[in-house]
Amino acid sequence: MARRVRRFTVCLSTELYEALKLKAGLSGKTVSALVGDLVRQGLAEDLQDLRLLSERAQEPVLTYEELLAELKARGA
């Protein structure tokens, strides 16, 4: 199954673009592949946080007072 891609424009300083081209060449990747990798790495923590929030969405919501009462009941 082919991956869907979306084309867009990114504006970079000349120095940053040249560094990106050099790193891509040294790693044997295209600039596009390298940018994709870097974006995925940069968003990995955010994606993990979103997954965790989604998983916890069904948990009951406690007020501050309810949380304190629960902690006191546990001796915490």
Coordinates of all heavy atoms in Angstrom, one line a residue:
M1 N 0.8 -1.2 0.0 CA 0.0 0.0 0.0 C 0.9 1.2 0.0 O 1.8 1.4 0.8 CB -0.9 0.0 1.2 CG -1.8 1.1 1.3 SD -3.0 0.8 2.6 CE -3.1 2.4 3.4
A2 N 0.7 2.1 -0.9 CA 1.5 3.3 -1.0 C 1.1 4.3 0.0 O 0.0 4.5 0.4 CB 1.3 4.0 -2.4
R3 N 2.1 5.0 0.6 CA 1.9 6.0 1.6 C 1.4 7.3 0.9 O 1.9 7.7 -0.1 CB 3.2 6.3 2.3 CG 3.6 5.2 3.2 CD 4.8 5.5 4.0 NE 4.6 6.6 4.8 CZ 5.4 7.0 5.8 NH1 6.5 6.3 6.1 NH2 5.2 8.0 6.6
R4 N 0.4 7.9 1.5 CA -0.1 9.2 1.0 C 0.9 10.3 1.4 O 1.3 10.3 2.6 CB -1.5 9.4 1.5 CG -2.5 8.5 0.9 CD -3.9 8.8 1.4 NE -4.2 10.2 1.1 CZ -5.3 10.7 1.4 NH1 -6.3 10.0 1.9 NH2 -5.6 12.0 1.1
V5 N 1.2 11.2 0.6 CA 2.1 12.3 0.9 C 1.4 13.6 0.6 O 0.5 13.6 -0.3 CB 3.4 12.2 0.2 CG1 4.2 11.0 0.7 CG2 3.3 12.2 -1.3
R6 N 1.8 14.6 1.2 CA 1.2 15.9 1.0 C 2.4 16.9 0.7 O 3.3 17.0 1.5 CB 0.4 16.4 2.2 CG -0.2 17.7 2.1 CD -1.5 17.6 1.4 NE -2.1 18.9 1.2 CZ -3.3 19.2 1.6 NH1 -4.0 18.4 2.4 NH2 -3.8 20.4 1.3
R7 N 2.4 17.6 -0.4 CA 3.4 18.5 -0.8 C 3.1 19.8 -0.2 O 2.0 20.3 -0.2 CB 3.5 18.6 -2.3 CG 4.6 19.4 -2.9 CD 4.6 19.4 -4.4 NE 5.0 18.1 -4.8 CZ 6.2 17.9 -5.4 NH1 7.1 18.9 -5.5 NH2 6.6 16.7 -5.8
F8 N 4.2 20.5 0.3 CA 4.0 21.9 0.8 C 5.4 22.6 0.7 O 6.4 22.0 0.5 CB 3.5 21.9 2.3 CG 4.5 21.3 3.3 CD1 5.2 22.1 4.1 CD2 4.6 19.9 3.4 CE1 6.1 21.6 5.0 CE2 5.4 19.4 4.4 CZ 6.2 20.2 5.1
T9 N 5.3 23.9 0.9 CA 6.5 24.7 0.8 C 7.0 25.1 2.2 O 6.2 25.5 3.1 CB 6.2 26.0 0.0 OG1 5.8 25.6 -1.3 CG2 7.5 26.8 -0.1
V10 N 8.3 25.0 2.4 CA 9.0 25.4 3.6 C 10.0 26.5 3.3 O 10.8 26.2 2.4 CB 9.7 24.2 4.4 CG1 10.4 24.7 5.6 CG2 8.6 23.2 4.7
C11 N 10.0 27.6 3.9 CA 11.0 28.6 3.7 C 12.1 28.5 4.8 O 11.9 28.5 5.9 CB 10.4 30.0 3.8 SG 9.1 30.2 2.5
L12 N 13.4 28.3 4.3 CA 14.5 28.2 5.2 C 15.6 29.2 4.7 O 15.7 29.5 3.6 CB 15.1 26.8 5.1 CG 14.2 25.6 5.4 CD1 14.9 24.3 5.0 CD2 13.8 25.6 6.8
S13 N 16.4 29.5 5.7 CA 17.6 30.4 5.3 C 18.5 29.6 4.4 O 18.5 28.3 4.4 CB 18.3 30.8 6.6 OG 19.0 29.7 7.2
T14 N 19.3 30.2 3.6 CA 20.2 29.6 2.7 C 21.1 28.6 3.5 O 21.4 27.5 3.1 CB 21.0 30.6 1.9 OG1 20.1 31.4 1.2 CG2 22.0 29.9 1.0
E15 N 21.6 29.1 4.7 CA 22.6 28.3 5.5 C 21.9 27.1 6.0 O 22.5 26.0 6.0 CB 23.1 29.2 6.7 CG 23.9 30.4 6.2 CD 23.1 31.6 5.9 OE1 21.9 31.6 6.1 OE2 23.7 32.5 5.2
L16 N 20.7 27.2 6.4 CA 20.0 26.0 7.0 C 19.7 25.0 5.9 O 19.9 23.8 6.0 CB 18.7 26.5 7.7 CG 17.9 25.4 8.4 CD1 18.8 24.8 9.5 CD2 16.7 26.0 9.1
Y17 N 19.3 25.5 4.7 CA 19.0 24.6 3.6 C 20.3 23.9 3.1 O 20.2 22.7 2.9 CB 18.4 25.4 2.4 CG 18.1 24.5 1.2 CD1 17.1 23.6 1.3 CD2 18.9 24.6 0.1 CE1 16.9 22.7 0.2 CE2 18.7 23.8 -1.0 CZ 17.7 22.8 -1.0 OH 17.4 22.0 -2.0
E18 N 21.4 24.6 3.1 CA 22.7 24.0 2.7 C 23.1 22.9 3.7 O 23.5 21.8 3.3 CB 23.8 25.0 2.5 CG 23.5 26.0 1.3 CD 23.4 25.3 0.0 OE1 24.2 24.3 -0.2 OE2 22.6 25.7 -0.9
A19 N 22.9 23.2 5.0 CA 23.2 22.2 6.0 C 22.3 21.0 5.9 O 22.7 19.8 6.0 CB 23.0 22.8 7.4
L20 N 21.0 21.2 5.5 CA 20.1 20.1 5.4 C 20.5 19.3 4.2 O 20.4 18.0 4.2 CB 18.7 20.7 5.2 CG 17.5 19.8 5.2 CD1 17.4 19.0 6.5 CD2 16.2 20.6 5.0
K21 N 20.9 19.9 3.1 CA 21.3 19.2 1.9 C 22.5 18.3 2.2 O 22.6 17.2 1.8 CB 21.6 20.1 0.7 CG 20.4 20.6 0.0 CD 20.6 21.3 -1.3 CE 22.0 21.7 -1.7 NZ 22.1 22.5 -2.9
L22 N 23.5 18.9 2.9 CA 24.7 18.2 3.3 C 24.4 17.0 4.1 O 24.9 15.9 3.9 CB 25.7 19.2 4.0 CG 27.0 18.6 4.4 CD1 27.8 18.1 3.2 CD2 27.8 19.6 5.2
K23 N 23.6 17.2 5.2 CA 23.2 16.1 6.0 C 22.5 15.0 5.3 O 22.7 13.8 5.5 CB 22.4 16.6 7.2 CG 22.1 15.5 8.2 CD 21.5 16.1 9.5 CE 21.2 15.0 10.5 NZ 22.2 14.9 11.5
A24 N 21.6 15.4 4.4 CA 20.8 14.4 3.6 C 21.8 13.6 2.7 O 21.7 12.4 2.7 CB 19.8 15.1 2.7
G25 N 22.7 14.3 2.1 CA 23.7 13.6 1.2 C 24.6 12.6 2.0 O 24.8 11.5 1.6
L26 N 25.0 13.1 3.2 CA 25.9 12.2 4.0 C 25.1 11.0 4.6 O 25.7 10.0 4.8 CB 26.5 13.0 5.2 CG 27.5 14.1 4.8 CD1 27.9 15.0 6.0 CD2 28.7 13.4 4.2
S27 N 23.8 11.2 4.8 CA 23.1 10.1 5.3 C 22.5 9.2 4.2 O 21.9 8.2 4.5 CB 21.9 10.6 6.2 OG 21.0 11.3 5.4
G28 N 22.7 9.6 3.0 CA 22.1 8.8 1.9 C 20.6 8.9 1.7 O 20.0 8.1 1.1
K29 N 20.1 10.0 2.2 CA 18.6 10.2 2.1 C 18.4 11.4 1.2 O 19.3 12.3 1.0 CB 18.0 10.5 3.5 CG 18.1 9.4 4.4 CD 17.5 9.7 5.8 CE 17.6 8.6 6.7 NZ 17.0 8.9 8.0
T30 N 17.2 11.6 0.8 CA 16.8 12.8 0.1 C 16.5 13.9 1.1 O 16.3 13.5 2.3 CB 15.5 12.6 -0.8 OG1 14.4 12.3 0.1 CG2 15.7 11.5 -1.8
V31 N 16.5 15.1 0.7 CA 16.1 16.2 1.6 C 14.7 16.0 2.1 O 14.4 16.1 3.3 CB 16.3 17.6 0.9 CG1 15.7 18.7 1.8 CG2 17.7 17.9 0.6
S32 N 13.8 15.6 1.3 CA 12.4 15.3 1.7 C 12.3 14.3 2.7 O 11.6 14.4 3.7 CB 11.6 14.9 0.4 OG 10.3 14.7 0.8
A33 N 13.1 13.2 2.5 CA 13.0 12.1 3.5 C 13.6 12.5 4.9 O 13.1 12.2 5.9 CB 13.8 10.9 3.0
L34 N 14.7 13.3 4.8 CA 15.3 13.8 6.0 C 14.4 14.7 6.8 O 14.2 14.6 8.0 CB 16.7 14.5 5.7 CG 17.4 15.0 6.9 CD1 17.8 13.9 7.9 CD2 18.7 15.7 6.4
V35 N 13.8 15.6 6.1 CA 12.8 16.5 6.7 C 11.7 15.7 7.3 O 11.3 16.0 8.5 CB 12.3 17.6 5.7 CG1 11.1 18.4 6.3 CG2 13.4 18.5 5.3
G36 N 11.2 14.8 6.6 CA 10.1 13.9 7.2 C 10.5 13.2 8.5 O 9.8 13.2 9.5
D37 N 11.8 12.7 8.5 CA 12.3 12.0 9.7 C 12.4 13.0 10.8 O 12.0 12.7 12.0 CB 13.7 11.4 9.4 CG 13.6 10.2 8.5 OD1 12.6 9.7 8.2 OD2 14.7 9.8 8.0
L38 N 12.9 14.2 10.5 CA 13.1 15.2 11.6 C 11.8 15.7 12.1 O 11.6 15.9 13.4 CB 13.9 16.4 11.1 CG 15.4 16.1 10.7 CD1 16.0 17.2 9.9 CD2 16.2 15.7 11.9
V39 N 10.8 15.8 11.3 CA 9.5 16.3 11.8 C 8.8 15.2 12.6 O 8.3 15.4 13.7 CB 8.5 16.6 10.6 CG1 7.1 16.8 11.0 CG2 9.0 17.9 9.9
R40 N 9.0 13.9 12.2 CA 8.4 12.8 13.0 C 9.1 12.7 14.3 O 8.4 12.5 15.4 CB 8.6 11.5 12.2 CG 7.5 11.1 11.3 CD 7.6 9.7 10.8 NE 8.7 9.6 9.8 CZ 8.7 10.0 8.6 NH1 7.7 10.6 8.1 NH2 9.8 9.9 7.8
Q41 N 10.4 12.9 14.4 CA 11.1 12.9 15.7 C 10.6 14.1 16.5 O 10.4 13.9 17.7 CB 12.6 13.0 15.4 CG 13.3 11.8 14.9 CD 14.7 12.1 14.5 OE1 15.3 13.1 14.8 NE2 15.3 11.1 13.8
G42 N 10.5 15.2 15.9 CA 10.1 16.4 16.7 C 8.7 16.3 17.2 O 8.3 16.8 18.3
L43 N 7.8 15.5 16.5 CA 6.4 15.4 17.0 C 6.1 14.1 17.7 O 5.0 13.9 18.3 CB 5.5 15.4 15.7 CG 5.4 16.8 15.0 CD1 4.6 16.6 13.8 CD2 5.0 17.9 15.9
A44 N 7.1 13.3 17.9 CA 6.9 12.0 18.5 C 6.4 12.1 19.9 O 5.4 11.4 20.3 CB 8.2 11.2 18.5
E45 N 6.9 13.0 20.7 CA 6.5 13.2 22.1 C 5.0 13.7 22.1 O 4.2 13.3 22.9 CB 7.4 14.2 22.8 CG 7.0 14.3 24.3 CD 8.0 15.2 25.0 OE1 9.2 15.3 24.7 OE2 7.5 15.9 26.0
D46 N 4.7 14.7 21.2 CA 3.4 15.2 21.1 C 2.4 14.1 20.7 O 1.3 14.0 21.3 CB 3.3 16.3 20.1 CG 4.0 17.6 20.5 OD1 4.2 17.7 21.7 OD2 4.4 18.4 19.6
L47 N 2.8 13.2 19.8 CA 1.9 12.2 19.3 C 1.7 11.2 20.5 O 0.6 10.7 20.7 CB 2.5 11.4 18.1 CG 2.5 12.3 16.8 CD1 3.3 11.5 15.7 CD2 1.1 12.6 16.4
Q48 N 2.7 10.9 21.2 CA 2.6 10.0 22.4 C 1.6 10.6 23.4 O 0.8 9.9 24.0 CB 3.9 9.7 23.0 CG 3.8 8.8 24.2 CD 5.2 8.5 24.9 OE1 6.2 9.2 24.6 NE2 5.2 7.6 25.8
D49 N 1.8 11.9 23.7 CA 0.9 12.6 24.6 C -0.6 12.5 24.1 O -1.5 12.3 24.9 CB 1.3 14.1 24.8 CG 2.6 14.2 25.6 OD1 3.0 13.3 26.2 OD2 3.1 15.3 25.5
L50 N -0.8 12.7 22.9 CA -2.2 12.7 22.3 C -2.7 11.3 22.4 O -3.9 11.1 22.8 CB -2.2 13.1 20.8 CG -1.9 14.6 20.6 CD1 -1.8 14.9 19.1 CD2 -3.1 15.4 21.2
R51 N -1.9 10.2 22.2 CA -2.4 8.9 22.4 C -2.8 8.6 23.8 O -3.8 8.0 24.1 CB -1.3 7.9 21.9 CG -1.4 7.6 20.5 CD -0.5 6.4 20.1 NE 0.9 6.5 20.4 CZ 1.8 7.1 19.5 NH1 1.3 7.5 18.3 NH2 3.0 7.2 19.8
L52 N -1.9 9.1 24.8 CA -2.2 8.9 26.2 C -3.5 9.6 26.6 O -4.3 9.1 27.3 CB -1.1 9.3 27.0 CG 0.2 8.5 27.0 CD1 1.4 9.1 27.7 CD2 -0.1 7.1 27.5
L53 N -3.7 10.8 26.1 CA -4.9 11.6 26.4 C -6.1 10.8 25.9 O -7.2 10.7 26.5 CB -4.9 13.0 25.8 CG -4.0 14.0 26.6 CD1 -3.9 15.3 25.8 CD2 -4.6 14.3 27.9
S54 N -6.0 10.3 24.7 CA -7.1 9.5 24.1 C -7.5 8.3 24.9 O -8.6 8.0 25.2 CB -6.7 9.1 22.7 OG -7.7 8.3 22.1
E55 N -6.4 7.6 25.4 CA -6.6 6.4 26.2 C -7.3 6.8 27.5 O -8.1 6.0 28.1 CB -5.3 5.7 26.5 CG -4.7 5.0 25.2 CD -3.3 4.5 25.5 OE1 -2.8 4.5 26.6 OE2 -2.6 4.2 24.5
R56 N -7.0 7.9 28.1 CA -7.5 8.3 29.4 C -8.8 9.1 29.3 O -9.3 9.4 30.4 CB -6.4 9.1 30.1 CG -5.1 8.3 30.4 CD -4.2 9.1 31.2 NE -4.7 9.1 32.6 CZ -4.1 9.7 33.6 NH1 -3.0 10.4 33.4 NH2 -4.7 9.7 34.8
A57 N -9.3 9.3 28.1 CA -10.5 10.1 28.0 C -11.7 9.5 28.7 O -12.6 10.2 29.1 CB -10.8 10.3 26.5
Q58 N -11.7 8.2 28.8 CA -12.9 7.5 29.5 C -12.7 7.4 31.0 O -13.7 7.0 31.7 CB -13.0 6.1 28.9 CG -13.2 6.1 27.4 CD -14.4 7.0 26.9 OE1 -15.5 6.9 27.5 NE2 -14.2 7.8 25.9
E59 N -11.6 7.9 31.5 CA -11.4 7.8 33.0 C -12.4 8.8 33.6 O -12.7 9.9 33.1 CB -10.0 8.2 33.4 CG -9.0 7.1 33.0 CD -7.6 7.4 33.4 OE1 -7.4 8.4 34.2 OE2 -6.7 6.6 33.1
P60 N -12.8 8.5 34.9 CA -13.7 9.5 35.5 C -13.0 10.8 35.9 O -11.8 10.7 36.2 CB -14.2 8.7 36.8 CG -13.1 7.7 37.0 CD -12.6 7.3 35.6
V61 N -13.7 11.9 35.9 CA -13.1 13.1 36.3 C -13.4 13.4 37.7 O -14.5 13.2 38.2 CB -13.7 14.3 35.4 CG1 -13.2 15.6 35.8 CG2 -13.5 14.0 33.9
L62 N -12.3 13.7 38.5 CA -12.4 14.0 39.9 C -12.2 15.5 40.1 O -11.4 16.1 39.5 CB -11.4 13.3 40.7 CG -11.4 11.7 40.7 CD1 -10.2 11.2 41.4 CD2 -12.7 11.2 41.2
T63 N -13.0 16.0 41.1 CA -12.8 17.4 41.5 C -11.6 17.4 42.4 O -11.1 16.3 42.9 CB -14.0 18.0 42.3 OG1 -14.1 17.2 43.5 CG2 -15.3 17.9 41.4
Y64 N -11.0 18.5 42.7 CA -9.9 18.6 43.6 C -10.2 18.1 44.9 O -9.4 17.3 45.5 CB -9.4 20.1 43.7 CG -8.3 20.3 44.6 CD1 -7.0 19.9 44.2 CD2 -8.4 21.0 45.8 CE1 -5.9 20.1 45.1 CE2 -7.4 21.1 46.7 CZ -6.1 20.7 46.3 OH -5.0 20.9 47.1
E65 N -11.4 18.4 45.4 CA -11.8 17.9 46.7 C -12.0 16.4 46.8 O -11.6 15.7 47.7 CB -13.2 18.6 47.1 CG -13.1 20.0 47.5 CD -13.0 20.9 46.2 OE1 -13.3 20.4 45.1 OE2 -12.6 22.1 46.4
E66 N -12.5 15.8 45.7 CA -12.6 14.4 45.6 C -11.3 13.7 45.6 O -11.0 12.7 46.2 CB -13.4 14.0 44.3 CG -14.9 14.3 44.4 CD -15.6 14.2 43.0 OE1 -14.9 14.3 42.0 OE2 -16.8 13.9 43.0
L67 N -10.3 14.3 44.8 CA -9.0 13.8 44.8 C -8.3 13.8 46.2 O -7.7 12.8 46.6 CB -8.1 14.6 43.8 CG -6.6 14.2 43.7 CD1 -6.5 12.7 43.2 CD2 -5.9 15.1 42.8
L68 N -8.5 14.9 46.9 CA -7.9 15.0 48.2 C -8.5 14.0 49.1 O -7.8 13.3 49.9 CB -8.1 16.4 48.8 CG -7.2 17.5 48.3 CD1 -7.6 18.8 49.0 CD2 -5.8 17.2 48.5
A69 N -9.8 13.8 49.0 CA -10.5 12.8 49.9 C -10.0 11.4 49.6 O -9.7 10.6 50.5 CB -12.0 12.9 49.7
E70 N -9.8 11.1 48.3 CA -9.3 9.8 47.9 C -7.8 9.6 48.4 O -7.5 8.5 48.9 CB -9.3 9.6 46.4 CG -9.0 8.3 45.9 CD -9.1 8.1 44.4 OE1 -10.2 8.6 43.8 OE2 -8.2 7.6 43.7
L71 N -7.0 10.6 48.3 CA -5.6 10.5 48.7 C -5.6 10.3 50.3 O -4.8 9.5 50.8 CB -4.8 11.7 48.3 CG -4.5 11.8 46.8 CD1 -3.9 13.2 46.5 CD2 -3.6 10.7 46.4
K72 N -6.4 11.0 51.0 CA -6.5 10.9 52.5 C -6.9 9.5 52.8 O -6.4 8.9 53.8 CB -7.4 12.0 53.0 CG -6.8 13.3 53.1 CD -7.7 14.4 53.7 CE -7.1 15.7 53.6 NZ -8.0 16.8 54.1
A73 N -7.9 9.0 52.1 CA -8.4 7.6 52.4 C -7.3 6.6 52.2 O -7.3 5.6 52.9 CB -9.6 7.3 51.5
R74 N -6.4 6.8 51.3 CA -5.3 5.9 51.1 C -4.1 6.1 52.0 O -3.1 5.4 52.0 CB -4.8 6.0 49.6 CG -5.7 5.6 48.6 CD -5.0 5.6 47.2 NE -5.9 5.7 46.1 CZ -5.6 6.0 44.9 NH1 -4.4 6.3 44.6 NH2 -6.5 6.0 43.9
G75 N -4.2 7.2 52.8 CA -3.1 7.6 53.7 C -2.0 8.3 53.0 O -0.8 8.3 53.5
A76 N -2.2 8.8 51.8 CA -1.2 9.5 51.1 C -1.2 11.0 51.4 O -2.1 11.6 51.7 CB -1.4 9.4 49.6

